[in-house]
Amino acid sequence: MGPSAITTLNKFMPSLLELLADEESCKAPTLLLSLVIALHRICQHLANFISPYMGTIVIELSRLLQLDTTHLGSQQYRQQLQFRLEDTADQLARNMPPRVLIPAVAEAIHKCVNAKDRLSLVQPMMQLLERYFQKRSGDELTSHLHELADVFLETLNIRNHMHQNAIQSDVLEAVESSTVAAFCSSLVLKLSEETNLRFLALNHGDVQIRLSALQSLNEKKNIFVLFAGHFLLNAVAVLKQMRSAGWAKVPALVDQLRAAVLDTLAVIFLHDHEGFTTAERFELLTQPLLDQLECIDRPDRVDKENIRDERIVPHLVPCIANLVVAVKDDAAAKKLNYQVLLKAKHDSPKVRFAALQILESICAKMGQDYNSILPETIPVIAELMEDDVPEIENEVQRVIVEMETILGESLQEHLMS
């Protein structure tokens, strides 16, 4: 494809993109492959001349990357089609300057977020950004942080309106995961600590960000405690909203968001070796965390017949236990333990059962230090040994054995006194 193609590009390109957008073209294997090869060659050799069409290219390429090709041609054909599409995305990431690609992708994402039937296209768009970030230096991307922050916020903010819109859970998860991968696994690690702080500050405001992004970054590099303070108030706000009537209309999606928040906080507490978890932050977090126990026995829960909660407790238990260790304050630990003991007297068997699991985890984290607050725990455990619910009686016996192992002494004398 030589220089002569440039003079006809303004006539050829609109027709090419129109054919790519035509659903009938996608049903004709030979035509579809020809169109994709043409797009691939143009992005490879004429990247400097296609900026007016970049927004449409991004949308159509994303749609084709998600196209179901199982009914099209042979396996060899499908492999060739997929290779051309993937390499087209690579060519864009390699050849397009940030001033062209980033605004085009941002505009395409905005259109798809607002057109709910095209929301699934955001995933390949985010994957394109991820490729782009990997091939660019931090200096090249710094001048576009405001625009990228807007994309980040708009995409992750979808979940905040999930109770107003009918959004498929798998689509939302795919969009969020690809956003996290692009921004936290690729972009943030390219930026300096100072630039990261400015970028995160852009994301701190009246929009509540899905906090699984924080956990994803922690999995890549344990540096996020430095920035966790920018998101802490958002985490508290999200936890408080979990009990609202509006959020109860979509329990499955709420459970996913709650898990992301709790898992993120658990990671932050686990890696807090610099005193991030102050007494003030401990007070801020304690009640919203414990209030999550009240959500276990809500009438809208699908597993309400099972006393062992599998949706909230597995995320809440390590979060609270890590918080106790992170605060490094015996008085605070004693206070939180007392509040859990109050939950162990709750009217709901499911809440009592969950409180027992939390007590066991706190004891495991504190080790021998738990002996200082054991006296106030013993009466509650003794009371639960005579609980009317057999599952709780059995759980108490198991917890007692575990605590005896942790503390290195028998609790029977204390329980019988």
Side-chain angles (χ1 to χ4, degrees):
M1 186 173 288
S4 60
I6 299 174
T7 60
T8 59
L9 196 61
N10 63 336
K11 297 179 181 179
F12 178 75
M13 204 62 193
S15 299
L16 173 63
L17 294 174
E18 184 177 347
L19 284 170
L20 283 171
D22 184 11
E23 292 185 5
E24 293 302 316
S25 300
C26 296
K27 297 177 183 178
T30 303
L31 175 59
L32 177 60
L33 183 57
S34 299
L35 294 171
V36 170
I37 290 175
L39 180 64
H40 175 248
R41 295 295 298 276
I42 289 171
C43 293
Q44 185 177 23
H45 297 289
L46 301 175
N48 292 332
F49 305 96
I50 59 175
S51 56
Y53 314 104
M54 188 52 57
T56 307
I57 290 173
V58 168
I59 290 176
E60 295 309 321
L61 179 61
S62 299
R63 188 178 62 82
L64 291 172
L65 282 166
Q66 288 204 324
L67 184 67
D68 181 7
T69 60
T70 54
H71 64 288
L72 292 175
S74 64
Q75 182 179 359
Q76 183 179 3
Y77 168 87
R78 294 193 295 270
Q79 289 175 343
Q80 185 180 6
L81 180 66
Q82 189 65 28
F83 167 77
R84 292 284 184 173
L85 290 170
E86 294 287 347
D87 199 57
T88 300
D90 271 339
Q91 293 297 333
L92 293 178
R94 187 178 299 113
N95 299 327
M96 300 307 299
R99 60 180 174 79
V100 175
L101 185 70
I102 291 176
V105 176
E107 179 61 25
I109 288 174
H110 178 71
K111 289 179 179 179
C112 292
V113 168
N114 287 281
K116 298 301 183 291
D117 59 329
R118 309 197 83 180
L119 186 61
S120 62
L121 298 186
V122 175
Q123 181 185 11
M125 292 176 189
M126 284 297 177
Q127 290 168 343
L128 174 59
L129 280 180
E130 182 179 7
R131 294 174 195 246
Y132 196 68
F133 297 154
Q134 291 169 352
K135 297 179 186 299
R136 299 287 160 172
S137 68
D139 291 338
E140 289 181 280
L141 300 171
T142 299
S143 60
H144 296 274
L145 286 185
H146 278 280
E147 195 165 15
L148 291 171
D150 289 341
V151 175
F152 187 46
L153 286 168
E154 182 174 31
T155 306
L156 295 184
N157 193 42
I158 296 170
R159 184 174 289 266
N160 288 330
H161 306 291
M162 61 190 176
H163 58 284
Q164 300 171 1
N165 305 303
I167 300 174
Q168 293 183 353
S169 176
D170 57 338
V171 172
L172 182 57
E173 282 290 297
V175 168
E176 291 178 331
S177 297
S178 60
T179 303
V180 167
F183 282 86
C184 292
S185 301
S186 297
L187 175 61
V188 171
L189 296 182
K190 285 286 186 80
L191 305 177
S192 66
E193 180 177 325
E194 180 183 357
T195 306
N196 263 319
L197 286 170
R198 288 193 283 118
F199 176 68
L200 294 172
L202 293 174
N203 297 329
H204 179 62
D206 58 355
V207 181
Q208 295 159 353
I209 300 168
R210 188 180 185 227
L211 296 175
S212 59
L214 315 190
Q215 185 181 15
S216 175
L217 182 54
N218 258 295
E219 292 170 355
K220 296 291 182 181
K221 194 174 183 181
N222 292 328
I223 62 171
F224 206 77
V225 175
L226 294 172
F227 314 126
H230 291 270
F231 291 83
L232 199 60
L233 292 177
N234 288 24
V236 172
V238 169
L239 290 174
K240 288 181 177 179
Q241 287 181 350
M242 293 295 173
R243 301 178 65 187
S244 69
W247 287 56
K249 296 177 183 177
V250 282
L253 292 179
V254 169
D255 284 339
Q256 292 170 8
L257 177 55
R258 179 189 289 108
V261 173
L262 295 176
D263 290 349
T264 297
L265 290 174
V267 169
I268 290 171
F269 301 148
L270 181 64
H271 295 290
D272 179 16
H273 307 301
E274 304 295 334
F276 170 80
T277 311
T278 62
E280 292 76 13
R281 286 172 173 156
F282 179 87
E283 290 292 333
L284 179 69
L285 287 160
T286 300
Q287 199 57 52
L289 287 173
L290 289 172
D291 284 346
Q292 301 312 301
L293 288 170
E294 303 292 334
C295 300
I296 292 175
D297 205 25
R298 290 171 64 148
D300 57 347
R301 302 200 62 78
V302 296
D303 57 349
K304 59 184 177 182
E305 301 301 325
N306 185 3
I307 194 170
R308 182 183 293 274
D309 175 84
E310 300 293 347
R311 294 174 178 267
I312 299 177
V313 173
H315 306 278
L316 183 61
V317 168
C319 182
I320 291 179
N322 289 351
L323 174 61
V324 169
V325 175
V327 72
K328 298 179 178 65
D329 184 323
D330 292 342
K334 182 175 182 179
K335 181 179 179 180
L336 179 54
N337 188 77
Y338 176 74
Q339 290 176 303
V340 176
L341 292 174
L342 294 179
K343 296 294 184 182
K345 299 180 179 182
H346 198 277
D347 291 339
S348 167
K350 296 190 73 168
V351 175
R352 298 199 299 275
F353 192 94
L356 267 173
Q357 294 176 287
I358 295 174
L359 288 172
E360 176 192 353
S361 186
I362 291 175
C363 180
K365 283 288 185 178
M366 293 185 66
Q368 294 294 323
D369 291 339
Y370 193 79
N371 280 307
S372 63
I373 54 179
L374 181 62
E376 66 182 29
T377 304
I378 289 295
V380 177
I381 291 180
E383 183 179 335
L384 290 173
M385 290 173 65
E386 301 178 359
D387 199 280
D388 295 335
V389 179
E391 291 90 342
I392 292 181
E393 284 191 83
N394 294 335
E395 184 68 4
V396 170
Q397 295 300 327
R398 187 193 66 78
V399 169
I400 290 173
V401 172
E402 289 298 322
M403 292 179 72
E404 287 177 336
T405 302
I406 294 166
L407 300 175
E409 62 174 296
S410 173
L411 301 182
Q412 296 304 318
E413 181 178 346
H414 300 290
L415 292 168
M416 300 302 295
S417 60

